[in-house]
Amino acid sequence: PAKGKEGSVHSVSTPGDGVPVLQSLKHVCVAKHSLGQSGFGVITLNRPKTLNALSDALIRDVRAAIQHLEADKTVKAIVLTGAGRAFAAGADIKEMKDLNFHSAFMKDHIKAWEIVAECKIPTIAAVNGFALGGGCELAMMCDIIVASEKAKFGQPEILLGTIPGAGATQRLTHAVGKSKAMELILGGKMIDAKEAYRVGLVSTITKPEDLLATTFRIASNIAKMSRPVLILAKKAVLAAFNHPLDQGLQVERHIFHSTFGLKDQTEGMHAFAQKRKARFTDE
């Protein structure tokens, strides 16, 4: 993805077939990597002077970028990363410091962030530096987190007299367990990439110079798969967060059975039986 002066824009695809037009975006850069008939998108948070602080305007740009990429049927995954020294160092405190209970409740600015968690296609966070507060929460909204050895994770909201508001009390607890989540949220300390990997917060650690190449390899592998099956598989895994085990298993079984209505399931199993590579058509 492009890095450089804040506000540079890299459009990705020609609108059509229901893909919304991507207007000029000031706070993110957007790119598309094509792999034959499919590919993956890359969204780069681009406020490096503020360590990619998550302002309302930046989140609006992220929302527009995700909607654009998700509507493009050739895009099968989205990589989210940050320009400069940070993935995102947290929410933009300047926009929050003067809120009272009523204004915070009525504005509910964090609701707009949910576009990341609600994205139907797989999302991968490539964390290049600081992922603190809302930045850590944004990474946890993604399906996979790949971290540079220089990455730092933390939930320092307690130091500001508040608590995480974009999911950390729930997602971090699911990822690392109650005790570690309590330590991080109640103490406000940061952990490095190695500890984040050890406790299960991230799936892969790379050298800083290899972060995007490693993440792109993961995205490229995902992009070879059937798009509808990717969406269904993601839905089944996320059911583990939203349902008790017996209900989650029912969701999985229902989704498994539903794949037998897809042409790609027929192609995949026939290709296996014929000892050839499957040629998925996303149908």
Side-chain angles (χ1 to χ4, degrees):
K3 296 181 180 180
K5 294 183 179 180
E6 186 171 342
S8 60
V9 178
H10 291 245
S11 191
V12 292
S13 62
T14 302
D17 297 326
V19 178
V21 175
L22 189 64
Q23 303 294 338
S24 177
L25 303 179
K26 183 178 180 182
H27 302 295
V28 305
C29 299
V30 186
K32 177 180 172 182
H33 291 244
S34 296
L35 307 166
Q37 298 300 312
S38 63
F40 60 91
V42 182
I43 300 172
T44 305
L45 309 180
N46 196 31
R47 297 185 69 203
K49 292 181 180 179
T50 64
L51 298 180
N52 300 320
L54 301 171
S55 65
D56 291 347
L58 182 145
I59 294 297
R60 283 195 297 270
D61 283 359
V62 169
R63 184 178 186 86
I66 288 177
Q67 290 174 334
H68 178 86
L69 292 170
E70 190 175 24
D72 185 338
K73 302 305 181 184
T74 67
V75 173
K76 298 186 180 182
I78 297 174
V79 173
L80 184 63
T81 192
R85 297 189 297 116
F87 175 76
D92 194 327
I93 302 302
K94 292 180 180 179
E95 295 184 347
M96 300 172 64
K97 63 182 178 63
D98 295 324
L99 296 178
N100 57 29
F101 169 75
H102 182 266
S103 57
F105 179 80
M106 295 303 295
K107 182 180 180 182
D108 193 15
H109 71 284
I110 293 175
K111 184 174 178 60
W113 300 23
E114 294 173 4
I115 185 69
V116 179
E118 293 170 355
C119 182
K120 292 181 179 180
I121 60 176
T123 52
I124 309 170
V127 179
N128 46 306
F130 296 110
L132 304 177
C136 188
E137 291 172 302
L138 194 70
M140 288 190 290
M141 290 180 188
C142 295
D143 302 312
I144 299 169
I145 302 178
V146 182
S148 155
E149 292 173 345
K150 292 184 177 181
K152 302 285 186 182
F153 299 86
Q155 299 295 154
E157 291 88 349
I158 198 81
L159 304 177
L160 303 179
T162 186
I163 72 167
T169 62
Q170 307 303 305
R171 292 191 179 95
L172 184 62
T173 304
H174 275 287
V176 306
K178 173 191 169 185
S179 181
K180 193 65 179 179
M182 286 288 193
E183 179 186 348
L184 293 173
I185 291 171
L186 301 182
K189 75 167 191 174
M190 291 189 294
I191 58 173
D192 61 20
K194 289 184 178 179
E195 186 171 359
Y197 177 77
R198 183 181 63 80
V199 299
L201 182 59
V202 307
S203 63
T204 304
I205 303 175
T206 74
K207 294 180 179 179
E209 61 270 22
D210 296 331
L211 175 64
L212 289 182
T214 299
T215 306
F216 288 178
R217 280 196 295 271
I218 295 171
S220 296
N221 185 58
I222 291 172
K224 296 174 184 177
M225 309 304 170
S226 164
R227 194 177 199 262
V229 177
L230 287 170
I231 291 171
L232 291 172
K234 172 174 176 172
K235 182 177 181 179
V237 173
L238 291 178
F241 288 84
N242 302 321
H243 302 284
L245 178 61
D246 58 340
Q247 293 180 19
L249 291 172
Q250 291 177 16
V251 170
E252 178 192 75
R253 192 69 51 81
H254 174 73
I255 291 175
F256 168 71
H257 289 154
S258 74
T259 64
F260 285 78
L262 296 171
K263 292 181 180 180
D264 283 343
Q265 174 272 330
T266 301
E267 164 62 15
M269 291 194 175
H270 282 213
F272 179 83
Q274 297 166 11
K275 298 182 179 180
R276 62 174 175 82
K277 188 176 181 179
R279 295 183 290 273
F280 296 126
T281 58
D282 298 332
E283 297 177 286

